[in-house]
Amino acid sequence: VFEIRDIPGDAVLRPPDPKTIAAIREELSLEGRRLVVYTGNFDRRQGTELLVEAMAEVSGRCPDALLLLVGGDPEQVAAMRELAAAQGVAGSVRAIGKRPLEQMPEFMGLADVLVSPRLEPLVTPLKIYAYMASGRPVVATDFPTHTDVLDGSAARLVPPTAAGLAEGILAVLEDPASGAVLGRNARAIVERNHTYAAFRT
């Protein structure tokens, strides 16, 4: 009998389908934008409000950056759009609501940077393993909720503030080569420590 904890399934580890990525880009008119992607719910513990606020600084230095928020109930989506308008970043934030779970590898594959702005300090969300498995650069708040599974070699770990998130995002957008290294390292950690095969060994 095995007890398996925090192990992503094959659906998470699979590579994204390029045709589906292209279709999503066309559907959402994303060409020419550098994408900051968040997937998941919009509970206050997730820090999505801080992420929207961070886009004021991000878009000031990278006008082509777009925050793509994937998830949330209709009321939460509306609240994110209202917050973006109040922050003056409506053109830099797109909240598209929930999408099928099986499409998450493609939405992660779209990202120039994936962000986990989580404010809950102790409970690691399963999606962080999916982020890491995607091989895309990750910016995450510097809490045990993230550092229990990754470190500074595999993500930009930032203070849980709008300014901290902005600086982490900009560091990746402005130096994509270093971001690519973070993504590769994160993927390697998942493959080494958080798969069924790794668990059995």
Side-chain angles (χ1 to χ4, degrees), residues 175-198:
D175 187 359
S178 69
V181 171
L182 295 176
R184 288 196 297 271
N185 289 346
R187 172 82 187 191
I189 289 172
V190 169
E191 292 176 340
R192 184 170 64 246
N193 299 330
H194 301 289
T195 64
Y196 183 71

Side-chain angles (χ1 to χ4, degrees), residues 102-183:
E102 53 268 27
Q103 288 186 355
M104 290 306 105
E106 281 70 44
F107 277 102
M108 294 177 194
L110 282 167
D112 292 281
V113 55
L114 290 162
V115 188
S116 183
R118 192 171 173 88
L119 302 178
E120 203 292 319
L122 298 177
V123 180
T124 300
L126 187 60
K127 76 176 175 195
I128 199 64
Y129 300 99
Y131 277 16
M132 294 166 68
S134 76
R136 309 305 298 155
V138 175
V139 171
T141 46
D142 191 2
F143 282 134
T145 188
H146 294 125
T147 57
D148 279 352
V149 295
L150 49 74
D151 58 25
S153 72
R156 289 275 179 184
L157 297 170
V158 301
T161 64
L165 289 164
E167 285 305 308
I169 292 165
L170 286 164
V172 173
L173 293 180
E174 294 175 346
D175 187 359
S178 69
V181 171
L182 295 176

Side-chain angles (χ1 to χ4, degrees), residues 9-79:
D10 291 342
V12 169
L13 292 173
R14 74 167 176 83
D17 175 52
K19 290 183 178 179
T20 303
I21 288 179
I24 292 171
R25 281 191 181 279
E26 183 176 1
E27 174 198 350
L28 300 177
S29 301
L30 300 176
E31 292 302 325
R33 306 300 296 266
R34 283 184 284 179
L35 297 176
V36 179
V37 176
Y38 169 88
T39 67
N41 69 66
F42 295 173
D43 182 283
R44 286 196 174 275
R45 294 171 297 176
Q46 302 294 349
T48 47
E49 291 90 349
L50 288 178
L51 187 51
V52 171
E53 293 168 10
M55 288 307 294
E57 184 173 350
V58 171
S59 60
R61 281 166 52 181
C62 295
D64 62 334
L66 176 69
L67 171 61
L68 188 65
L69 297 169
V70 186
D73 295 327
E75 298 82 2
Q76 295 171 322
V77 169

Side-chain angles (χ1 to χ4, degrees), residues 85-102:
Q87 294 290 320
V89 293
S92 299
V93 176
R94 187 89 55 84
I96 63 170
K98 294 178 180 178
R99 290 298 181 104
L101 184 62
E102 53 268 27

